[in-house]
Amino acid sequence: MRLAILTGGGDVPGLNPCIRSITMSAAQRGWEVIGLRRGWEGVLEMDPADSLSLENGTMVLDKDSVRGIDRLGGTILHSSRRDPRTTESGDQTQKALDILDALKIDVLITMGGDGTLRFSAYLASLGRKVISIPKTMDNDVYGTDYCIGFSTAVTRSVEAINALRSTIASHERIGVIELFGRRSGETALLSGFLSQSDRTVIAEVPADMDILLPLLLEDKANNPESYAICLVSEGATLAGHDADHSEISKSNTHRLGVNIGTQLAREIEGRSSERTIVQELAYLMRAGEPDALDRMVGFAFGALAVQLIEEGRTSNMVCLTDGNYGVVPIDKVLEGTKGVNVSGLYDASQYRANLLQVEGMPMFLY
């Protein structure tokens, strides 16, 4: 059996533990594993007729090459945001398939977010043997409660938010801290709740400054240190303002124009006498080694993926549901979108987490 591993989309802590887990589990069964470098972009740069090109675009994964990688952040395979169906040269799915054939891949294991996993489902529909593993710091893959990288992103965010308190307090400002989360506000919501930030604006609910600003001014006035903190998801919007999605990246994903943190700070300063401090946490949220939970999930997802292959159960995605490891069809990601349960977990009138129901909920409340 010859397996290939591909990591696509943004990197997150926890990918390397998963790569190690797959490699070690496969080695126990006498299987061969290779890594595909730089996601689908790296695959499409290979020439199926050139053995040197194929060698340069792959990495042999064995007990020696994965030793100690579980302590590292990111992905040793590197990554890219590329869907072979939507390249500048048109649909290159067949070329991707030709590369897999040239490499003699029996089963492909893909680790990624919504975009990568959607293409994985497409490959499965073409008859390819594929197992998907969800990873994204936004935790927004439909069909699983948890994605590799989410816990570390929240942990990093809470640490940074609390560290920023000293500067924001010293200058008696309103701190506006922007977190990644273009479609889903889960990372911001949980980070705001755990850091006990004053207000959190999520991607699912536009911010009405006529409501939000008085709340922040009240928060600052009631704080003995005379400061307030407002978190905001990268993809959040201000009521009455359109998000600027004018720039398009090479991978055909939108890049926001003027960031929402700056927009929000400008509104605060323009409508009041208060001054702000703006901080984008951005890539610091996904930097560094994985925390304990992402190591655990990475190891478990990897082992489960190999078990499924051994049982002949490809065309599936590993998942976590209600705190239990499980499996769903690989095309489950196509059935919907995932975000904050606003009615159950968020008070839109107060811009805060609202834990109306805890009993019976999974650990991360989603």
Side-chain angles (χ1 to χ4, degrees), residues 30-246:
W31 298 350
E32 184 180 1
V33 186
I34 65 169
L36 303 177
R37 298 178 185 270
R38 299 179 54 244
W40 286 114
E41 186 168 313
V43 171
L44 294 176
E45 290 175 351
M46 295 187 222
D47 180 351
D50 184 346
S51 59
L52 182 60
S53 169
L54 296 177
E55 181 180 347
N56 291 336
T58 59
M59 175 186 295
V60 174
L61 297 174
D62 54 26
K63 293 181 179 180
D64 291 331
S65 64
V66 301
R67 187 184 305 276
I69 68 170
D70 50 294
R71 298 187 290 272
L72 305 176
T75 164
I76 63 167
L77 298 178
H78 296 185
S79 188
S80 62
R81 298 183 185 277
R82 174 67 70 188
D83 184 326
R85 294 173 294 183
T86 58
T87 73
E88 295 88 341
S89 303
D91 189 341
Q92 296 195 66
T93 299
Q94 187 56 52
K95 181 178 181 181
L97 295 176
D98 291 342
I99 296 295
L100 296 178
D101 288 338
L103 292 170
K104 299 179 180 180
I105 303 305
D106 295 307
V107 182
L108 175 65
I109 301 175
T110 59
M111 306 180 197
D114 186 73
T116 299
L117 301 190
R118 283 175 177 269
F119 184 66
S120 300
Y122 178 63
L123 290 182
S125 74
L126 299 178
R128 294 288 165 153
K129 294 182 178 180
V130 186
I131 294 288
S132 288
I133 298 177
K135 68 89 212 162
T136 165
M137 59 188 294
D138 295 338
N139 204 40
D140 62 352
V141 170
Y142 189 81
T144 181
D145 290 344
Y146 189 83
C147 302
I148 295 173
F150 180 57
S151 176
T152 305
V154 172
T155 298
R156 297 277 188 277
S157 298
V158 172
E159 291 172 348
I161 292 162
N162 287 333
L164 285 165
R165 288 182 182 274
S166 59
T167 291
I168 297 169
S170 294
H171 294 276
E172 298 187 350
R173 305 279 184 91
I174 293 178
V176 178
I177 303 174
E178 182 180 326
L179 282 67
F180 276 150
R182 196 150 48 113
R183 297 182 315 174
S184 171
E186 289 189 21
T187 307
L189 181 65
L190 197 57
S191 298
F193 175 66
L194 295 178
S195 65
Q196 291 293 282
S197 295
D198 296 296
R199 309 292 162 178
T200 301
V201 180
I202 60 176
E204 291 83 353
V205 179
D208 185 337
M209 292 305 298
D210 291 334
I211 299 174
L212 178 61
L213 181 56
L215 291 173
L216 288 170
L217 296 177
E218 183 180 0
D219 294 331
K220 184 174 183 293
N222 290 337
N223 188 334
E225 294 187 82
S226 191
Y227 77 95
I229 290 181
C230 181
L231 303 190
V232 56
S233 294
E234 170 193 23
T237 58
L238 302 180
H241 294 67
D242 292 328
D244 181 359
H245 294 285
S246 58

